[in-house]
Amino acid sequence: MDLWISLLLVWITSVPCVSLSPITSQSKSTQTGGSAVVASGLGEGQRLLSRAKRGWVWNQMFVLEEFSGPDPILVGRLHTDLDVGGKSIKYILAGEGAGTIFAINELTGDIHAMKRLDREEKAEYTLTAQVINAETDEPLEPPSEFIIKVQDINDNPPQFVQAPYQASVPEMSAVGTPVTRVTATDADDPVYGNSAKLVYSILEGQPYFSIDPNSGKRFALQGMDREMREEYLVVIQAKDMGGHMGGLSGTTTVTITLTDINDNPPKFSKNLYEFVIPEDLPIGKMGGKVKANDRDTGENSKSTYGIVEGDDQGVFEIITDSQTQEGILQLKKPLDYESKRAYNLKVEATNVRSEPGSGPFKDTATVKITVEDSDEPPVFSKPIYQLEVNENAPINTIIGTVTARDPDSTGSQVRYFIDRHTDLERQFNINVDDGKITLAKLLDRETDMWHNITVTATEVRNHSQISRAIVAIRVMDINDNAPEFATEYEAFLCENGKPGQVRKEMVIQTVSAVDKDDPIQGHYFNYRLVPEMLNNPNFTIKNNQDNSISVLAKHDTFRRQKQEMYFLPIIVTDNGHPPMSSTNTLTIRVCGCSKDGIVQSCNVEAYVLPIGLSMGALIAILACIVLLLVIVVLFVTLRRHKNEPLIIKDDEDVRENIIRYDDEGGGEEDTEAFDIATLQNPDGINGYLPRKDIKPDLQFMPRAGQHSGPNGVDVDEFINVRLHEADNDPTAPPYDSIQIYGYEGRGSIAGSLSSLETTSSDSDQNYDYLREWGPRFRRLGELYSVGESDRET
C-alpha cells in the first residue's frame, strides 16, 4: 500500500514542533486543495479502490539565523499516515545541506539544524524527504521536495562601500544647494522587518551642511566663503532599524571643498609707485613693475593692466606677465630728458573674468616716472640721405652734406666719418667738421649706378657715442658712350641671282644698335655709311624709323669667284649732348645656295676641291698625316735613347754631373747595409774590376816593375786605366766631363791634420811664413803675429 506524507510546520517559540494530521476517510472522498484521496480500512483482503496524489499542507520550513545553543535546533517534523502501530518505516532526507547542516531522525521525522546559519551567506535550502521500508529499504512513497528558509535577524550594520567621499560646491552657494549623495548598504533582509531600513544623519559638519535622512542627499548652507575656509570634513552616520534604539550603524567621512567664484576684486599693493628711468632705455625694455593681488584663484585671479590717464603721447605701455600676474611697464617711444623729465600715469587692473550679473572688478594706482638724463649719441637730421652726382664728375666735387647734432643739453661738437667697410674702394671723402661729402675717384654710371655708404657721427668729448646714417648716392648719366651694333652681324648672299634669292633692292640684313648710356628722353640712333662708301655700287642702307636699318643689295650678280666677302662700314650716332658716334663694320658673305635659297657653302675653296671630297674629309686626311709624323718622331727618339750611357748628363752644364748615394750606414753592428768602404779603402781592392755597363775593349793588366803603394796598389796605374777606359769608350761624350773615382789614399807622410791629435801647444807655432804668402794672406799673418806678441808679453 502506498503511504502519503503530510508536512505541518508549527512555529512555537519555546519548543518547536511539527505535527502532521493525515486526511483520511472510510469511503471514497476528495480533499479540496489536497493532493490525494485515500481509501480507509487497511485490513487483509481489502483492495484499493482509487488513489490521487495530494500536496503538502505547508511546503516551507523556517529556521532562525545565528541561533546557537548547546543542542541542535529543531527545524520541523515530518509525519506520514503510514506511521501507525508498529510499522517498520524510516525517514530519509536528501538535498542541500542534508547530513551536514540538517539531520533527520529516521524514526520520528524530526529535522534539526546542526550548524549556525547565516542568511547573508545562504538564504534558503532545497531538500527532498522520503519514507522507505526500514527492513527492505524499499520506498513506500515517492520523494517530495520542500524548502527550509533562514529567517533574518539584524546582525549586519550599514556600510558605505565608496567611502571616503570627495565633493565640491561653489562658495556662496544658496541654502539647499545639493553637494553630493552618499549611499550605505545593509546585508540584512530588506523585506523582513526593519533590519535593512536605513536613516542618515550628520555627526560632524553642522551647521554648514544638512542631509536628507532617507535619500542621503547633502545640502549646503548659505554664505560659505572660500577665502575664509576652503575645506570641510563632514562625518555621516547611517543607522538601520529605521533609526530606532537597538539598531546597528555605520559612518563615513566626506571632504567638501569650496570652489572659487570671482567674488574678490584685484587690489594694488601700493597706491603710488615711483620709478626712475634713464632716457636711453631701449624701446620695449622694462621700466618698472606693478602688482594687483586678488584673493581668488585660477582664472578668477587673473587681471589685465592698462594706462588710463597721463600718457597722451603713447610713450608707455603696460603688459601682463602671465606667470607672475605682474604689470610690466615698458617704452613704446624713446624718452627725451631735454623735452620732458617726468610723467604721472594712472594704471588700472581689471579681472579677466566676471560673474554673471556683476560688473568687472578693478582697481587703480598712480605711477610716477622720473626721466634720468643720459649721454646720448648724435642724431642725424635724416636716417637716410639720397644724393646725386654726374658720372665722370671731377675729383673733389661736393656731392652733398649730412648733418647731426648732440641732443644732450651740453651740445658737444660732432665729427663725421665714412665707414670704410661700405666704401672699400675709397671713392668718397667726408669733411670731419661740416659733413660735406666729396668725390675721391671718378665714377662710371655704366659700372655702378648706386653707391650706398654709411656715415658715422661721433661726439668729440665722448667717442663711444656713435650714430650712423645711410647715404645713397645715385650716379647720373652723361653721354659718354658711343652707340654700337647690338651684336656682331654677319650677312649672307646667295650667288647666281636665282629668282627669289638675290634681287635688286633686296633686304639682306636688319641692323640695330645699343648704347650703354641711359638718356632720360630715350635713344635715337642715326645710321649712315662712311663717306668712302657713299657711292658703293653693291650695297645701301634704309632707315626703318625704329632705331634700326636694313642693308639692301643693289644688284643680283654676286659671285664667289670674283669676291667672296664684303665689308660695309656704318657710322652710328646717338642724340646725346654732345652726340657720340662709332663706326661698325658689317661682314657680308657670298654663299652657294640650294634651289630653295638655303645657304650651303660660303667658301671659295669648295670649287677647287675634288668632286665628292668635302672640307671635313680634307681635315681628317691632314689629321692622319700629322699623327703618322708624330709616331715616327717618337720612334726615332726612343732608338737614340737606347745608345745613351747610363750616366745622366745635364744638357745645360755637362761638366757637373753629380751622382748622390743617400745610403747611411747603421754602425758597426749593421751587417745588412751596403759596405761602401770596400770601394773607398785601397785595402779592399784585390785587382782590376771591369765596368759592368759596357763591354771593355781593352783588358788591363798591371805592368811589371811598376811601383805600388804601401798596400800594393799603384795609384798612377789606377788613374791611367780609368783614363784609358774613358778615351776608348764609344759612348763617352766628346767633351770634358768630371769623372768620380771612389779612392781614398793612405800612409801620408804629413800625418794627421786634425788639431785633436796635435801634441804641441799654440806657443810652439811660428806664423811668420804667412807674411810671405802674398797680399791675400797679409791680414791673416798680422792677426796671428799680434796674438803671438800678446802671449810673449
Side-chain angles (χ1 to χ4, degrees):
M1 174 186 291
D2 293 334
L3 298 178
W4 298 93
I5 302 175
S6 299
L7 178 62
L8 176 64
L9 176 62
V10 178
W11 181 266
I12 302 175
T13 57
S14 59
V15 178
C17 176
V18 176
S19 62
L20 185 63
S21 298
I23 302 175
T24 61
S25 65
Q26 296 297 323
S27 61
K28 182 178 179 182
S29 63
T30 302
Q31 171 68 33
T32 303
S35 60
V37 177
V38 183
S40 63
L42 299 175
E44 184 178 354
Q46 294 180 341
R47 63 185 181 85
L48 181 64
L49 298 177
S50 65
R51 181 178 64 188
K53 182 178 180 181
R54 66 174 184 174
W56 299 99
V57 177
W58 294 282
N59 63 352
Q60 291 184 359
M61 294 182 181
F62 295 90
V63 60
L64 195 64
E65 71 167 332
E66 302 295 343
F67 182 84
S68 62
D71 299 322
I73 181 175
L74 179 61
V75 177
R77 177 177 294 173
L78 298 179
H79 186 70
T80 180
D81 55 358
L82 298 178
D83 188 6
V84 292
K87 290 291 182 178
S88 177
I89 63 174
K90 182 171 62 173
Y91 296 92
I92 61 175
L93 190 67
E96 296 178 340
T100 57
I101 299 176
F102 303 101
I104 189 170
N105 190 319
E106 296 179 350
L107 299 177
T108 63
D110 293 338
I111 300 175
H112 292 84
M114 307 299 295
K115 293 183 179 181
R116 183 176 180 177
L117 300 179
D118 187 359
R119 190 199 68 83
E120 286 69 43
E121 292 183 2
K122 191 171 179 63
E124 62 181 34
Y125 298 86
T126 302
L127 299 168
T128 303
Q130 192 175 19
V131 178
I132 63 174
N133 191 320
E135 296 177 356
T136 62
D137 289 337
E138 294 181 358
L140 300 178
E141 285 191 359
S144 298
E145 186 178 271
F146 65 97
I147 296 173
I148 298 177
K149 287 190 175 183
V150 182
Q151 194 172 18
D152 182 57
I153 65 172
N154 189 20
D155 61 342
N156 290 282
Q159 293 183 350
F160 294 91
V161 295
Q162 297 179 353
Y165 293 87
Q166 301 284 339
S168 62
V169 62
E171 62 174 332
M172 297 298 176
S173 298
V175 175
T177 301
V179 178
T180 186
R181 179 190 292 271
V182 295
T183 303
T185 59
D186 196 318
D188 292 326
D189 193 353
V191 299
Y192 178 77
N194 294 326
S195 299
K197 185 177 181 181
L198 305 180
V199 175
Y200 298 91
S201 62
I202 293 179
L203 301 181
E204 296 181 15
Q206 294 177 340
Y208 304 104
F209 301 95
S210 62
I211 189 169
D212 188 321
N214 296 320
S215 64
K217 290 184 179 179
R218 303 194 54 214
F219 305 97
L221 186 66
Q222 185 178 10
M224 291 188 297
D225 189 1
R226 186 199 65 83
E227 286 72 36
M228 299 298 295
R229 183 177 178 182
E230 185 175 2
E231 190 174 87
Y232 295 84
L233 184 65
V234 181
V235 179
I236 299 177
Q237 182 189 65
K239 192 174 183 180
D240 60 10
M241 296 300 290
H244 293 92
M245 187 73 68
L248 302 177
S249 64
T251 60
T252 186
T253 60
V254 181
T255 302
I256 301 175
T257 304
L258 297 182
T259 58
D260 184 64
I261 65 172
N262 191 16
D263 58 342
N264 293 278
K267 185 67 176 176
F268 282 103
S269 57
K270 296 188 297 184
N271 293 326
L272 176 63
Y273 293 87
E274 294 183 351
F275 302 112
V276 177
I277 302 177
E279 66 170 331
D280 58 352
L281 182 70
I283 294 176
K285 294 298 183 179
M286 183 185 66
K289 294 181 181 180
V290 297
K291 177 68 179 293
N293 299 311
D294 196 322
R295 296 176 62 192
D296 296 321
T297 60
E299 293 294 326
N300 295 326
S301 66
K302 293 183 178 180
S303 300
T304 58
Y305 298 87
I307 300 174
V308 294
E309 291 181 10
D311 189 22
D312 299 333
Q313 298 178 352
V315 179
F316 300 93
E317 67 176 348
I318 186 168
I319 62 174
T320 304
D321 189 333
S322 59
Q323 300 296 327
T324 63
Q325 286 300 303
E326 293 177 318
I328 309 300
L329 185 68
Q330 60 186 21
L331 289 181
K332 291 177 63 178
K333 297 181 180 179
L335 297 175
D336 187 5
Y337 172 82
E338 287 71 27
S339 61
K340 192 170 183 179
R341 303 184 180 184
Y343 295 86
N344 287 320
L345 309 178
K346 184 178 180 180
V347 297
E348 183 181 71
T350 307
N351 277 154
V352 176
R353 295 180 56 185
S354 61
E355 293 298 329
S358 62
F361 294 120
K362 60 181 64 176
D363 190 25
T364 59
T366 301
V367 177
K368 184 177 181 181
I369 300 173
T370 301
V371 181
E372 184 180 38
D373 187 25
S374 300
D375 189 7
E376 301 173 90
V379 177
F380 280 95
S381 59
K382 298 179 183 178
I384 298 177
Y385 293 84
Q386 288 190 0
L387 305 178
E388 294 180 351
V389 62
N390 291 329
E391 63 176 328
N392 296 330
I395 296 176
N396 296 326
T397 298
I398 298 177
I399 302 174
T401 304
V402 297
T403 57
R405 65 175 184 85
D406 184 9
D408 297 322
S409 57
T410 56
S412 175
Q413 187 178 357
V414 177
R415 296 288 182 89
Y416 303 92
F417 302 93
I418 293 178
D419 186 354
R420 292 304 178 182
H421 292 90
T422 61
D423 184 25
L424 297 176
E425 297 181 3
R426 295 182 174 270
Q427 295 175 302
F428 306 96
N429 291 327
I430 191 170
N431 190 302
V432 295
D433 296 321
D434 57 15
K436 290 182 179 179
I437 299 176
T438 57
L439 274 179
K441 293 182 179 179
L442 295 179
L443 301 180
D444 185 7
R445 189 202 66 85
E446 287 71 39
T447 302
D448 287 307
M449 185 181 298
W450 286 92
H451 297 270
N452 295 321
I453 63 174
T454 300
V455 175
T456 61
T458 307
E459 293 182 9
V460 174
R461 59 181 177 84
N462 188 358
H463 296 289
S464 62
Q465 297 295 335
I466 301 175
S467 296
R468 289 176 170 81
I470 297 175
V471 179
I473 301 174
R474 180 181 180 183
V475 182
M476 305 302 293
D477 182 52
I478 64 172
N479 193 27
D480 60 342
N481 291 279
E484 57 187 12
F485 280 173
T487 184
E488 294 183 3
Y489 292 103
E490 188 174 16
F492 299 94
L493 279 175
C494 292
E495 65 176 347
N496 301 326
K498 295 180 180 179
Q501 295 180 355
V502 179
R503 59 185 181 273
K504 189 175 181 181
E505 299 297 331
M506 174 186 176
V507 177
I508 61 175
Q509 183 67 48
T510 299
V511 176
S512 62
V514 294
D515 195 330
K516 294 181 180 179
D517 295 322
D518 189 15
I520 299 177
Q521 66 274 15
H523 290 291
Y524 177 78
F525 301 120
N526 180 31
Y527 301 85
R528 68 180 186 277
L529 297 176
V530 296
E532 305 87 58
M533 301 294 291
L534 291 177
N535 297 322
N536 184 359
N538 299 313
F539 305 101
T540 186
I541 61 175
K542 176 184 177 182
N543 194 338
N544 297 327
Q545 303 301 323
D546 60 353
N547 277 342
S548 68
I549 59 172
S550 298
V551 179
L552 307 176
K554 289 186 176 182
H555 60 84
D556 55 0
T557 58
F558 295 98
R559 295 292 182 269
R560 280 186 291 175
Q561 295 175 338
K562 179 180 179 181
Q563 186 171 347
E564 177 192 4
M565 190 177 300
Y566 295 88
F567 299 100
L568 185 63
I570 300 174
I571 300 174
V572 185
T573 306
D574 60 19
N575 60 334
H577 300 284
M580 302 289 292
S581 63
S582 66
T583 302
N584 301 266
T585 301
L586 173 64
T587 302
I588 303 173
R589 292 180 178 273
V590 180
C591 305
C593 301
S594 64
K595 294 180 179 180
D596 299 329
I598 300 175
V599 176
Q600 291 182 337
S601 175
C602 295
N603 298 324
V604 177
E605 56 268 17
Y607 283 93
V608 299
L609 292 177
I611 298 176
L613 187 61
S614 63
M615 179 61 65
L618 180 61
I619 294 175
I621 294 173
L622 293 177
C624 293
I625 296 174
V626 172
L627 180 62
L628 290 175
L629 292 175
V630 171
I631 294 174
V632 171
V633 171
L634 290 175
F635 179 76
V636 173
T637 303
L638 292 175
R639 289 293 301 270
R640 293 186 61 184
H641 278 291
K642 288 184 179 180
N643 296 328
E644 291 182 357
L646 294 180
I647 298 178
I648 301 175
K649 298 178 177 58
D650 190 354
D651 294 339
E652 296 180 357
D653 190 356
V654 298
R655 295 172 298 174
E656 295 181 4
N657 295 302
I658 301 175
I659 300 176
R660 176 181 295 176
Y661 299 92
D662 294 332
D663 189 0
E664 182 176 352
E668 297 178 354
E669 298 179 0
D670 185 4
T671 59
E672 299 294 332
F674 177 76
D675 189 7
I676 198 171
T678 305
L679 297 178
Q680 297 179 344
N681 190 354
D683 296 339
I685 301 177
N686 297 324
Y688 169 72
L689 296 178
R691 293 184 62 174
K692 296 181 180 181
D693 54 338
I694 61 172
K695 182 177 180 180
D697 296 332
L698 178 64
Q699 297 295 332
F700 169 75
M701 293 298 294
R703 294 194 295 265
Q706 286 186 340
H707 243 7
S708 62
N711 297 312
V713 178
D714 193 338
V715 178
D716 182 65
E717 289 297 326
F718 178 82
I719 295 176
N720 289 331
V721 169
R722 294 303 185 191
L723 181 60
H724 180 71
E725 289 177 355
D727 293 337
N728 293 278
D729 187 0
T731 62
Y735 39 73
D736 294 338
S737 64
I738 298 176
Q739 300 294 329
I740 305 301
Y741 302 103
Y743 181 85
E744 183 178 351
R746 281 191 176 182
S748 174
I749 58 175
S752 176
L753 300 178
S754 175
S755 60
L756 298 177
E757 298 179 2
T758 303
T759 56
S760 61
S761 62
D762 294 339
S763 59
D764 298 332
Q765 297 293 330
N766 187 2
Y767 298 99
D768 293 337
Y769 62 90
L770 294 176
R771 300 178 180 177
E772 302 174 358
W773 283 9
R776 292 185 179 181
F777 297 92
R778 182 179 303 165
R779 180 58 180 168
L780 184 60
E782 293 175 356
L783 292 175
Y784 276 83
S785 300
V786 171
E788 206 171 38
S789 62
D790 292 341
R791 285 192 296 268
E792 292 175 358
T793 57

